[in-house]
Amino acid sequence: MQILGIDVGGSGIKAALVETADGSLLTERIRIETPRPATPQSVGKALQGLVRQMDWKGPVGLGFPAAIQHGIARTAANIDKSFIGLPVADYFSEQTGCEVYAANDADAAGLAEMHFGAGQGVPGVVLIVTIGTGLGTALFTDGHLLPNAELGHVLLDNGREAERYASEAVRVAKKLKWKEWGKRLDHCLETLERLHWPDLMVLGGGVSKKLEKFAPMISVRTPVVAAKFLNQAGVVGAALFAESRIRRSG
Ligand code: BGC
């Protein structure tokens, strides 16, 4: 199936047409800045513009940076609070004129990695951690997703919220050296390890390209690998999510 995958992040919105049979991109990936403030109106306009630019009228898979329960946003850590309670899938369907299927952005990235990437065929528990403006997480057991694992908001034993301690946004804002930031990330991963005992951790987001810079600081016993789709996992996974919903509704 060909589906437009859109990944709404705290700082950028990325889109590409995806072939869901193999997760390949059929067009160049487009990136625009996430509007500030990121309200339903401003994000809706941005998505409308993207869909028009790509001349797309088919289904859209949307990865969105919030817990998404049956199409409804339940949280809003890095977007405007007015998203909370909004049926985002229906709202963006209206705004774009396309059928939109929405999932949490980290869950979407995880789907791409489990289908065609670093988690493909991995049995047991796989934890995906996407590192960006926020710290997104997705949990899979034997390839099945447990949706909306909001583990980026876990409190560490130093009293800090994981996301506010070790996200990419924090690394940049505080100008942390890779070593310093790597230690912080390790602290988060260690906490998640103790909570979920995963068999594999997959790190996604922009910094996954730089894993070798902070790998020496990672001390968890779980094997840690970079996402195969790096920063594109969200776009590909959003399309895969939409495909699964379309097939389910028959
Ligand atoms: C949000 C998650 C999201 C993550 C990455 C967090 O602040 O609560 O829903 O997956 O950021 O965007």
Side-chain angles (χ1 to χ4, degrees):
M1 242 181 233
Q2 297 189 356
I3 296 182
L4 181 63
I6 303 184
D7 184 16
V8 176
S11 51
I13 302 180
K14 296 161 216 141
L17 190 59
V18 177
E19 170 52 65
T20 57
D22 59 5
S24 60
L25 300 193
L26 300 172
T27 59
E28 290 262 312
R29 196 192 68 165
I30 298 179
R31 183 186 188 281
I32 57 172
E33 292 295 309
T34 304
R36 287 272 151 222
T39 60
Q41 293 74 15
S42 65
V43 178
K45 273 226 163 64
L47 296 191
Q48 203 177 65
L50 270 178
V51 164
R52 283 208 188 125
Q53 189 182 338
M54 301 193 72
D55 197 18
W56 183 249
K57 299 191 174 54
V60 171
L62 183 76
F64 201 72
I68 303 286
Q69 192 183 32
H70 311 304
I72 300 175
R74 297 296 186 193
T75 62
N78 296 305
I79 45 172
D80 196 79
K81 300 286 175 245
S82 56
F83 269 111
I84 295 176
L86 187 79
V88 284
D90 292 347
Y91 178 78
F92 291 132
S93 295
E94 257 170 47
Q95 297 284 309
T96 58
C98 298
E99 196 60 48
V100 175
Y101 300 85
N104 169 261
D105 57 350
D107 284 353
L111 285 172
E113 290 301 321
M114 295 307 291
H115 272 80
F116 303 117
Q120 192 178 10
V122 177
V125 176
V126 179
L127 172 66
I128 318 281
V129 181
T130 63
I131 305 164
T133 310
L135 211 59
T137 57
L139 264 180
F140 290 82
T141 176
D142 290 335
H144 298 287
L145 172 68
L146 173 73
N148 296 314
E150 288 280 319
L151 302 174
H153 301 294
V154 146
L155 280 189
L156 305 174
D157 58 7
N158 58 8
R160 306 284 300 274
E161 183 182 350
E163 168 167 301
R164 290 169 182 262
Y165 188 62
S167 68
E168 167 68 353
V170 169
R171 185 186 72 79
V172 173
K174 293 203 173 298
K175 300 193 175 70
L176 297 175
K177 300 228 159 46
W178 285 109
K179 194 172 158 190
E180 275 173 282
W181 178 78
K183 270 195 202 155
R184 287 181 174 222
L185 182 69
D186 187 51
H187 194 157
C188 296
L189 298 183
E190 217 194 319
T191 307
L192 300 186
E193 181 176 68
R194 275 189 278 115
L195 291 172
H196 289 287
W197 296 99
D199 296 289
L200 176 70
M201 291 185 186
V202 179
L203 303 186
V207 288
S208 48
K209 288 179 226 158
K210 311 254 170 72
L211 181 58
E212 84 284 356
K213 291 200 193 282
F214 57 91
M217 309 319 297
I218 304 298
S219 70
V220 290
R221 64 184 92 184
T222 313
V224 176
V225 296
K228 184 177 154 206
F229 286 97
L230 300 170
N231 216 2
Q232 296 189 5
V235 166
V236 174
L240 295 179
F241 174 77
E243 185 204 24
S244 72
R245 288 301 142 126
I246 293 167
R247 291 203 188 283
R248 193 189 284 183
S249 62

